[in-house]
Amino acid sequence: IKSQCTYYKMDWRLILALIHQESLFNSNAVSRAGAFGLMQIMPRTGLGLQNELNLDDTKTPQNNLTAGIYYYATLVANFEFAGEEKYKFALAAYNAGFGRVVDAMTITYYFGKDYKFWDNVKEYYPYLSSKQDSIHKLIWPQTKRPPNGTLDNWMEPYKYVENVIFYFGEYKKYFKSNLPEPKTIEPKKKKTKKK
C-alpha cells in the first residue's frame, strides 16, 4: 500500500481508511452488489482494470490493492482542478460513480455555489433523487434528467466520504505519512537591542 501510494503521491493512510470503510480489511469480503476484496472492486470495473494493468485477476489481495489504488488515483487525477478537495470528490466517485459527482457539481453550480468545495456539493446530493425531477428539468432542459442517472440513495456517498475522512484522521494519529512532510519556515526572530 505504501509503495503504490508513494508512486501516486497519495497518503497511504487515506487508502487504509478507504479499505476500513469498504471491507474492514477482509480480503474475501463480497458485497450484495458483487464487489470483491479489500478495495471492494465491482466485477465489471475489475475486468477493465485487469486488462488495463495487465493483471491475471483482481481477486487476490495484492492485485485487488493494485487495481483499487490505481483506480482511486485516476479518480483523484480527474478532480485535480479542485485542489485538496480532489480526495473527497474521488471518494464520492469511488462509492457512487464519477458521473454522479459531476452531476452533483453541476447542480451546485446551477445554484450559484462553489462546486470545487465538497461541503457545498454534498449539500446538493439530495437533488440527484428521482423525486427532484422539477429541478432536473431546469438544469438539463433537453434530457430532463441527470446525464448519469438519478440517485435515490444519495445519502450513501455523503456518509461514505464522511466516514473515510474520519478514519483517515484516526490513522494519522497512529501512523506516519509515506509522503515528505511539508517544511515549515520558522519566522526569523528579531534581534532586540540591549539598552
Side-chain angles (χ1 to χ4, degrees):
I1 294 171
K2 272 187 185 175
S3 64
Q4 288 189 40
C5 286
T6 301
Y7 177 78
Y8 294 118
K9 295 179 176 63
M10 289 192 307
D11 192 318
W12 77 293
R13 299 168 298 183
L14 182 58
I15 296 301
L16 284 183
L18 191 154
I19 294 168
H20 184 133
Q21 177 66 24
E22 286 288 350
S23 66
L24 276 173
F25 299 96
N26 177 359
S27 61
N28 295 314
V30 181
S31 76
R32 278 175 277 138
F36 187 86
L38 293 165
M39 302 284 288
Q40 288 293 283
I41 299 171
M42 290 294 284
R44 202 169 81 186
T45 304
L47 193 59
L49 292 168
Q50 190 177 317
N51 294 333
E52 194 171 341
L53 299 170
N54 200 21
L55 298 170
D56 293 333
D57 60 51
T58 55
K59 295 208 173 189
T60 63
Q62 178 72 35
N63 288 352
N64 193 269
L65 287 169
T66 298
I69 293 169
Y70 168 81
Y71 180 58
Y72 180 69
T74 59
L75 290 170
V76 169
N78 280 311
F79 293 107
E80 194 67 45
F81 65 88
E84 287 303 299
E85 294 284 288
K86 64 188 174 188
Y87 300 105
K88 292 177 183 176
F89 286 118
L91 287 171
Y94 195 92
N95 176 258
F98 176 77
R100 296 264 173 64
V101 179
V102 172
D103 289 349
M105 287 175 140
T106 304
I107 295 168
T108 307
Y109 177 78
Y110 177 84
F111 283 102
K113 300 286 184 185
D114 183 356
Y115 64 90
K116 296 178 195 164
F117 190 56
W118 170 250
D119 282 346
N120 287 342
V121 174
K122 75 179 185 181
E123 296 306 321
Y124 287 95
Y125 256 78
Y127 290 98
L128 288 174
S129 166
S130 59
K131 294 175 182 148
Q132 299 291 338
D133 58 337
S134 58
I135 298 289
H136 300 162
K137 288 172 187 171
L138 293 172
I139 299 171
W140 296 285
Q142 301 203 297
T143 58
K144 295 177 178 38
R145 62 188 304 268
N148 296 285
T150 56
L151 181 65
D152 288 327
N153 191 10
W154 57 266
M155 189 60 116
E156 189 179 319
Y158 184 106
K159 286 284 188 198
Y160 180 88
V161 175
E162 203 172 84
N163 291 345
V164 175
I165 295 302
F166 170 78
Y167 296 133
F168 180 40
E170 292 299 300
Y171 286 126
K172 282 177 162 182
K173 296 175 187 175
Y174 299 102
F175 302 110
K176 285 186 175 181
S177 177
N178 55 310
L179 302 174
E181 295 292 328
K183 291 179 183 174
T184 53
I185 300 167
E186 295 290 324
K188 290 182 181 177
K189 291 181 180 174
K190 289 182 180 177
K191 291 181 182 176
T192 54
K193 291 181 182 177
K194 289 182 183 175
K195 290 182 181 176

